[in-house]
Amino acid sequence: MEGNSSDLEYGARDMNGLSLNSYSSGLQAQLQRDLDRQHLLSDRPRAGVYENVISEGVEGIEHQERYERLLRRAQVEDLSEVSGIGCLYQSGVDRLGRPVIVFCGKWFPAQNIDLEKALLYLIKLLDPIVKGDYVISYFHTLTSTSNYPSLHWLREVYSVLPYKYKKNLKAFYIVHPTFWTKMMTWWFTTFMAPAIKAKVHSLPGVEHLYSAITKDQLEIPAYITEYDMATNGLHYFNPVPTAS
């Protein structure tokens, strides 16, 4: 279901194969200044900054600094008003042993929540997970316009999350998509997040997930399964057995 390697992974390999002679002298000088600056930042792993420079250009270090400030805040601030909603959590692992992150759109009160704290909670939950491969299952079941955050906020979130979030995301499943969801997903992944476009999969029902995630590893609210059964019926999809 995941298809071929992502644009981002190909892009990183292509960049690694380039010679510095292919850059302009101005870009070389800027990159060198950023790398020199990294030597002065003793509390930051060099590899992480180098990845950000490769993936985001000369602004990578600034993005990394901002992310680290948010991470420090996420570790000390009270985020119970967001965590208590239960719209974002880890639910087991997929068939390849990768952590599964579940996001329930219906339970996200986009118009009545502190979006900055929502971002901090996202970082607190995902930072230890995204050091390795992971997948996300987003359930659009019974969502309404009150659950939709602005595109500006989504773009802000995507831009502040460092390279490891995009690189190690192996699949983003959207369950029960609507026409609006499909259009917005196409627009967002085409113009704002092309690196993850090949990783996004729209699925008409929960059982389509079972080829990637076993049922006992997928903990979802009852309203989702009830809606799924009412819409699709019982046992409408049989995953293809994988070779042992």
Side-chain angles (χ1 to χ4, degrees):
M1 293 181 68
E2 292 177 22
N4 296 325
S5 298
S6 69
D7 299 342
L8 183 61
E9 290 166 335
Y10 280 118
R13 285 197 291 270
D14 291 342
M15 284 293 291
N16 289 336
L18 288 176
S19 168
L20 284 177
N21 292 331
S22 63
Y23 292 93
S24 67
S25 58
L27 183 55
Q28 289 186 57
Q30 181 62 56
L31 182 57
Q32 185 59 52
R33 285 195 296 272
D34 288 335
L35 292 177
D36 290 341
R37 180 184 178 186
Q38 161 58 17
H39 291 301
L40 301 177
L41 303 176
S42 58
D43 61 338
R44 182 176 298 107
R46 188 176 179 184
V49 175
Y50 178 73
E51 283 185 338
N52 277 276
V53 171
I54 291 297
S55 63
E56 301 178 27
V58 295
E59 296 182 352
I61 292 178
E62 285 74 15
H63 288 168
Q64 181 71 14
E65 290 175 339
R66 182 183 179 194
Y67 176 78
E68 290 176 355
R69 288 195 299 270
L70 291 171
L71 178 59
R72 287 192 294 270
R73 288 182 56 196
Q75 293 169 341
V76 299
E77 289 194 19
D78 180 11
L79 304 176
S80 57
E81 69 175 88
V82 181
S83 62
I85 296 173
C87 63
L88 181 69
Y89 55 92
Q90 181 182 350
S91 173
V93 296
D94 70 359
R95 291 180 181 270
L96 297 178
R98 303 174 300 196
V100 176
I101 303 301
V102 170
F103 181 66
C104 303
K106 182 178 183 293
W107 285 355
F108 182 64
Q111 312 303 321
N112 299 298
I113 194 173
D114 186 332
L115 290 176
E116 185 173 9
K117 286 195 173 184
L119 174 57
L120 293 177
Y121 178 68
L122 173 70
I123 291 173
K124 181 178 182 179
L125 176 68
L126 291 186
D127 185 77
I129 294 174
V130 300
K131 295 175 182 178
D133 296 345
Y134 71 104
V135 300
I136 295 177
S137 294
Y138 165 61
F139 293 89
H140 192 66
T141 317
L142 298 176
T143 59
S144 64
T145 54
S146 63
N147 304 122
Y148 303 159
S150 68
L151 280 175
H152 173 77
W153 185 75
L154 290 176
R155 182 174 184 177
E156 180 73 9
V157 170
Y158 186 80
S159 66
V160 80
L161 298 180
Y163 175 70
K164 61 184 178 180
Y165 280 77
K166 293 94 168 180
K167 173 180 178 291
N168 294 331
L169 174 65
K170 297 306 176 184
F172 190 109
Y173 302 109
I174 302 176
V175 184
H176 298 142
T178 60
F179 177 76
W180 179 90
T181 310
K182 293 177 180 179
M183 289 297 297
M184 294 307 297
T185 299
W186 174 86
W187 188 89
F188 185 79
T189 57
T190 299
F191 298 106
M192 299 173 68
I196 66 170
K197 187 168 188 176
K199 303 179 182 184
V200 177
H201 311 280
S202 293
L203 306 178
V206 175
E207 290 193 1
H208 288 270
L209 276 175
Y210 294 160
S211 61
I213 308 168
T214 59
K215 189 174 183 179
D216 64 310
Q217 292 292 314
L218 189 63
E219 298 180 10
I220 53 178
Y223 82 87
I224 294 177
T225 54
E226 291 170 359
Y227 172 87
D228 193 67
M229 288 188 292
T231 303
N232 298 313
L234 295 174
H235 308 302
Y236 52 88
F237 178 78
N238 292 318
V240 178
T242 57
S244 58

